Amino acid sequence: MAVPPGHGDSRGGERPGAGAPRRDTRGIVDAAGLFARVRFRRRAPAAPLLSCVEHYWLIDWDLDEPYVSYVVPHPSVNVVFEDRGGARGPEAQVAGVGTGLFSTKLEGRGRVCGIRFRPGGFRPFLTPTPTSTPTSAHTQTSTHTPASPPALSALTGRNPPLAEVFPHVSPDVPSRVLAPEDEDARVAALDAFLLALGPRPEPGSERARRLVERVRGDRSVLRVEEFARSEGMTVRGMQRLFAEHVGVSPKWVILRYRLHEALERASAGPGAGWARLAAELGYSDQAHLVRDFTATVGVTPAAYARTAAASRAASRGRGPGQG
């Protein structure tokens, strides 16, 4: 994958009347450095897709020197159309939820159009797979179970080609998405691609989306046991729901969103009170927060805050900007 999947600033065009894309930079490491080098826009999907798709993300770059970008992934599946130039031409892949730090090297000229699904929003687009038992020797009949899409956990940590996940999609779809110079035409091509797949109602996916949204917005959600109890679920039932419809466990989602908040606070500057922030985010102590942050991002929160401040200073007044 050529670029960070679906993160960053969102000062690009927003479709009138549609749900506005988020404007935060959570998950992206050194957002100022990235935005100084690429043109990044977020766009809203067509209205019928809003319940499943968080936003589209469009990135173009033309670099004199290579740049490595890093992202702490969200609990979201992305479909990524990219053209990095050269003989390979336009390509597409499905990016399952990434559990580690994502990195990519940007160089030369390139373009990406991505679809970031809401957590739980990708499974309704998958084709159900009916199963049946062998014919019984006594009844001479097959027993069929109701068709259902595969669990999202099968995609976690994987980036299969689009054709592997959607074998009936035309091979020229990447070109149709990436070729137009007009940004609205690219957005329309993404809409057409998804609407042709015909998302199917998935009650479990809707519930999973609501639960993940609660974790993202409610800082008091810190323990899976308490979270499940407050939702009238067993821990095992919540774990099964997340595995099937999100691709990762509820504990992983809670920790990832709290780490995103720590990353955002560190990006704001070196003045954050790490002990206080650790308590707010549910860590047992400051050392626990520092260990998690360092294990994921590669540096301590304090070191990252200093680097982010220097990057912001160096990036002022430079670069293509956003939207």
Side-chain angles (χ1 to χ4, degrees):
M1 196 168 4
V3 294
H7 306 294
D9 196 56
S10 59
R11 298 169 195 158
E14 295 173 1
R15 181 174 302 174
R22 288 179 175 270
R23 301 182 67 88
D24 62 73
T25 61
R26 289 191 178 185
I28 194 160
V29 178
D30 186 21
L34 177 65
F35 295 150
R37 293 168 172 84
V38 307
R39 183 165 178 255
F40 186 109
R41 294 87 70 208
R42 283 178 178 169
R43 298 290 300 270
L49 300 167
L50 283 170
S51 64
C52 293
V53 177
E54 189 149 341
H55 57 253
Y56 300 144
W57 46 280
L58 313 178
I59 301 185
D60 298 271
W61 69 91
D62 188 353
L63 301 177
D64 295 327
E65 298 180 353
Y67 175 75
V68 179
S69 179
Y70 298 92
V71 167
V72 179
H74 286 244
S76 301
V77 173
N78 286 259
V79 170
V80 184
F81 299 91
E82 63 180 7
D83 188 350
R84 304 183 70 169
R88 297 176 66 175
E91 298 179 308
Q93 60 183 296
V94 176
V97 177
T99 56
L101 183 68
F102 170 84
S103 66
T104 186
K105 186 177 183 180
L106 307 180
E107 53 189 337
R109 298 184 64 183
R111 168 176 293 172
V112 170
C113 297
I115 303 167
R116 177 167 149 186
F117 292 84
R118 299 184 187 278
F122 183 70
R123 197 166 186 248
F125 291 87
L126 297 177
T127 302
T129 304
T131 60
S132 61
T133 60
T135 301
S136 166
H138 300 288
T139 63
Q140 299 299 312
T141 60
S142 296
T143 303
H144 294 268
T145 58
S148 62
L152 256 290
S153 56
L155 275 176
T156 299
R158 298 182 58 229
N159 298 323
L162 184 71
E164 179 183 321
V165 181
F166 299 109
H168 302 300
V169 168
S170 172
D172 68 349
V173 166
S175 294
R176 277 188 259 156
V177 168
L178 294 163
E181 289 302 319
D182 178 67
E183 185 175 307
D184 289 342
R186 279 179 259 163
V187 171
L190 291 170
D191 283 341
F193 162 69
L194 289 179
L195 291 170
L197 293 176
R200 299 160 184 81
E202 278 274 332
S205 289
E206 176 56 38
R207 189 176 194 187
R209 289 197 293 273
R210 182 182 63 78
L211 293 174
V212 173
E213 191 61 34
R214 182 182 167 194
V215 174
R216 175 154 58 178
D218 183 355
R219 193 190 285 174
S220 69
V221 178
L222 300 173
R223 302 284 183 269
V224 176
E225 294 79 4
E226 296 171 3
F227 183 33
R229 191 181 309 117
S230 71
E231 293 288 341
M233 302 178 68
T234 64
V235 170
R236 183 62 189 135
M238 180 173 280
Q239 290 170 336
R240 282 197 302 268
L241 181 75
F242 273 59
E244 291 177 2
H245 298 276
V246 182
V248 287
S249 71
K251 180 179 180 180
W252 189 95
V253 173
I254 291 170
L255 292 175
R256 180 49 49 95
Y257 278 139
R258 302 304 165 249
L259 189 60
H260 278 175
E261 186 163 352
L263 184 65
E264 188 174 55
R265 294 281 196 94
S267 298
W274 304 118
R276 183 178 68 254
L277 179 60
E280 291 176 2
L281 298 181
Y283 285 93
S284 56
D285 53 30
Q286 179 178 338
H288 188 186
L289 168 61
V290 171
R291 282 196 303 272
D292 269 11
F293 192 102
T294 305
T296 303
V297 181
V299 295
T300 66
Y304 177 76
R306 291 191 295 269
T307 302
S311 182
R312 284 197 305 276
S315 300
R316 290 191 182 101
R318 119 182 210 207
Q322 293 78 51

